[in-house]
Amino acid sequence: MAAILSHLLPGGEAGLAGFGGGLTRPDRLDSGMWDLHRADLLGVPGVWRTDPGLRLLAPGNAEDARHVPVLADATGLDRVERMVVTIDYSPFPLALVFHPGRALPLLGFGVKYEIAGPIRASALTGGEWIMGGAFVDAMGGGCSAPAVTHARPDWQDGFGEMRARLWPETGRLRVGIRHPMDTGLADGVPAHHLTDLTLTDAAGAEIARLEIHEPLEENPVLTFLLPPDLARGPVGITARDTSGFRFSGRVAA
Amino acid sequence: MRVTRRQTLLGAAAALLPVPARAAPEYRLEPRQVADGVWLIEGAQESIAPANGGAICNVAMLETPEGAVVVDTGGTLRHGAALRAFADGRLGGVAASLNTHHHPDHWFGNGAFADRPIQALPGTTAAQKAGAQALSDGLYRILGSWMQGTAPLAATAAVEGGDMTIGGRGLTVMALSGHTGADLALIDQRTGTLIAGDLLFLDRAPSFPDADLAAWRAALARLGGLPVSGTIPGHGPFHRDSRAVVQTLAYLDAFAARMDAAASLGLTPAEALAAGPMPAFAHLGANPAEYRRATVQQWRAHEISALPVIGGSV
């Protein structure tokens, strides 16, 4: 089923089907802030549709409003130019803009949730916007609570540490960066968050680029999908944040 | 007073349709004596939901001449009040109550027992106080009117591990951890009944929001070695063999193995969550919901070892 890997776990194929397979029910999601966000954040007031080629997995309930795991898989669509992740009732409705470039249009990430509502991934392909989304029920507070790391006196220890691994057989790349991802909404904690991340090939040429905004979770882990030639690595990873810090790493298979 | 169009429509509908008044929710308890003077009020094998009013945990009561020793007080004030009414009506009142740990389904009924000592491990009391508001907000959101009048009341007296006597009834208290940071289990010395709190689940998926799997395994090893005549798990039926120890340990191991496998295969937590529980445990009460919750709660601990450090701040 698309590029979703739930079936690699025993019983996972049936489990995923029982979960709904990440398919979007447009009757439930043509609501909320969608018309406004379509106009303001995608720049296209009218034309959109859903498509089984774009699947989005998200839990029905945010068990932890600081870490809501999401996978947006647009590999069933042709020629995706970019994917835009928006959260309907977030104080920061624009979460991520993904330019897949030479990577495949799949993005795994976690977000903070301030209030229950839909999360959407919209893919631009051939001048048309395809939207996949899910409703996430949440107690909220994820964007306005201080990062957990600030509860420790040594929060700067390990700041920026980058972890990553390539799986050439599936094309997966997972990248984690230790970062508080402060939104600026928590009392006395100024905004300090990642702003962009770039993947490069062995020659240093760009593979893909991700624009990052406040809702991305603390200590984010991102998942990408690379074609076989690039998935053999090595892949360079660079990132920046609002305070001018730069982060860099290199992962080989 | 202005009446909106919606109110007018609703009023008209109410006048026209023979809609029966919705009965105020009430708790119907079915206490059962499982050993000499040991009563069990079994919880629903489900997640907390409006259909069960949050009455999902097992409550045990031990008869003494001075009234019942009540182990866990229910998930809402009104649940606690229903339990109290049984203790007052049939067991000569309440001598004392105990909270096995800080998860709200086990102690949000404390308000109905506030006139008698409410005992807990110090770690439990601290966690009750720290988490009361968030837990309460969550339960009001899920349970609505079932929660009427519920104001979380933390335990009022400290208990340590060791032997103690309440109302002439000897209890062996064990201060353990693993399901949470402080888990109380006890043995009723007269009957040899183990009251295990949520260290033991039977036929209901274990919950993991505060789990430390290594400590939980150690606690299970200790409980599994005890010569007991019967066991009341935190969730699930009374039983006389070691089924709950075996099943809880098997679930912990299988869950940890599934998370490790998912992380080492490069899955995202969303995919591991959507895959649902281990097939052997898919039928347990509260699954797949409890498995999905646990995936979010436990994922990071398993993911970190699958991702080597490859860079940093430059």
Side-chain angles (χ1 to χ4, degrees):
Chain A
M1 190 186 282
I4 296 172
L5 294 185
S6 297
H7 65 275
L8 295 183
L9 297 177
E13 191 163 355
L16 178 62
F19 192 73
L23 292 167
T24 297
R25 291 180 50 189
D27 52 316
R28 289 188 61 190
L29 286 173
D30 189 8
S31 58
M33 299 296 284
W34 179 227
D35 53 350
L36 289 170
H37 287 174
R38 231 163 47 233
D40 294 350
L41 305 177
L42 306 183
V44 281
V47 184
W48 70 280
R49 65 183 174 89
T50 61
D51 190 298
L54 170 56
R55 293 168 187 261
L56 183 136
L57 293 179
N61 287 284
E63 173 61 24
D64 180 346
R66 298 161 306 154
H67 298 282
V68 177
V70 182
L71 177 68
D73 172 12
T75 56
L77 304 177
D78 286 333
R79 294 184 307 280
V80 173
E81 294 164 46
R82 67 177 188 268
M83 294 167 71
V84 180
V85 177
T86 56
I87 306 173
D88 273 32
Y89 300 112
S90 174
F92 308 99
L94 182 62
L96 298 163
V97 180
F98 179 43
H99 305 268
R102 290 186 286 151
L104 292 154
L106 176 143
L107 186 66
F109 54 92
V111 289
K112 304 185 278 266
Y113 242 76
E114 188 63 17
I115 187 169
I119 183 165
R120 307 163 192 277
S122 302
L124 177 63
T125 163
E128 186 181 31
W129 284 96
I130 314 287
M131 185 272 281
F135 185 91
V136 179
D137 197 5
M139 284 276 292
C143 286
S144 49
V148 171
T149 191
H150 294 306
R152 304 201 320 257
D154 60 343
W155 75 269
Q156 285 172 318
D157 287 357
F159 168 73
E161 178 185 84
M162 190 182 284
R163 292 173 176 269
R165 184 163 161 190
L166 269 170
W167 284 265
E169 58 282 8
T170 58
R172 285 287 173 97
L173 167 63
R174 305 200 70 222
V175 180
I177 301 179
R178 200 149 142 192
H179 201 288
M181 287 300 296
D182 294 316
T183 61
L185 294 187
D187 225 13
V189 183
H192 177 207
H193 59 84
L194 294 166
T195 55
D196 57 70
L197 180 143
T198 303
L199 305 179
T200 53
D201 63 18
E206 181 176 309
I207 298 173
R209 185 164 57 86
L210 182 66
E211 299 169 30
I212 298 171
H213 298 275
E214 290 87 344
L216 189 67
E217 66 186 339
E218 179 180 1
N219 300 331
V221 179
L222 299 159
T223 303
F224 301 95
L225 181 61
L226 302 178
D229 56 323
L230 293 172
R232 286 194 294 271
V235 174
I237 303 153
T238 56
R240 295 185 299 183
D241 73 13
T242 49
S243 297
F245 288 102
R246 288 169 182 272
F247 313 93
S248 174
R250 187 168 179 275
V251 59
Chain B
M1 180 183 127
R2 287 186 59 196
V3 178
T4 66
R5 180 162 173 272
R6 179 175 161 77
Q7 284 168 330
T8 309
L9 288 170
L10 286 173
L16 291 171
L17 298 172
V19 180
R22 188 170 168 188
E26 74 182 86
Y27 292 93
R28 293 189 184 82
L29 307 181
E30 291 175 12
R32 186 166 70 92
Q33 195 169 187
V34 296
D36 178 22
V38 180
W39 292 81
L40 168 62
I41 299 98
E42 205 170 323
Q45 293 277 69
E46 299 162 0
S47 298
I48 293 170
N52 56 44
I56 63 165
C57 86
N58 284 339
V59 175
M61 296 194 192
L62 306 173
E63 286 184 60
T64 83
E66 296 171 20
V69 178
V70 177
V71 184
D72 287 335
T73 61
T76 66
L77 176 67
R78 293 169 54 197
H79 188 201
L83 293 163
R84 179 67 190 257
F86 170 72
D88 286 347
R90 293 286 301 278
L91 306 180
V94 170
S97 54
L98 291 151
N99 297 154
T100 57
H101 65 293
H102 80 275
H103 289 161
D105 50 319
H106 295 262
W107 66 278
F108 268 31
N110 277 2
F113 298 87
D115 58 324
R116 306 295 301 151
I118 303 173
Q119 305 186 348
L121 298 170
T124 296
T125 309
Q128 286 174 333
K129 288 176 178 168
Q133 189 60 49
L135 295 169
S136 175
D137 289 349
L139 283 194
Y140 268 99
R141 197 160 182 279
I142 297 169
L143 292 175
S145 61
W146 288 103
M147 282 286 285
Q148 271 173 13
T150 305
L153 172 70
T156 52
V159 62
E160 305 286 345
D163 289 347
M164 62 190 273
T165 302
I166 302 177
R169 193 149 188 154
L171 307 173
T172 303
V173 173
M174 290 167 280
L176 303 169
S177 68
H179 175 65
T180 69
D183 294 297
L184 182 151
L186 64 87
I187 293 177
D188 170 45
Q189 291 167 358
R190 186 196 300 175
T191 63
T193 305
L194 169 64
I195 303 171
D198 278 5
L199 290 168
L200 294 183
F201 286 73
L202 183 57
D203 300 336
R204 196 271 191 201
S207 72
F208 287 72
D210 303 290
D212 174 334
L213 297 191
W216 199 342
R217 287 190 185 101
L220 289 171
R222 176 148 175 213
L223 295 182
L226 297 171
V228 300
S229 67
T231 298
I232 297 176
H235 299 260
F238 173 79
H239 55 284
R240 296 199 177 276
D241 55 19
S242 58
R243 262 181 297 163
V245 172
V246 172
Q247 194 186 81
T248 304
L249 182 59
Y251 193 95
L252 299 192
D253 288 345
F255 177 80
R258 194 171 182 82
M259 294 298 104
D260 285 336
S264 67
L265 287 165
L267 267 66
T268 63
E271 290 166 305
L273 182 152
M278 304 70 77
F281 299 98
H283 66 284
L284 296 188
N287 258 346
E290 198 64 73
Y291 167 84
R292 291 175 184 160
R293 293 179 62 209
T295 301
V296 173
Q297 292 152 356
Q298 295 288 318
W299 177 257
R300 294 235 151 196
H302 298 272
E303 176 178 72
I304 193 96
S305 55
L307 298 177
V309 175
I310 55 100
S313 183
V314 290

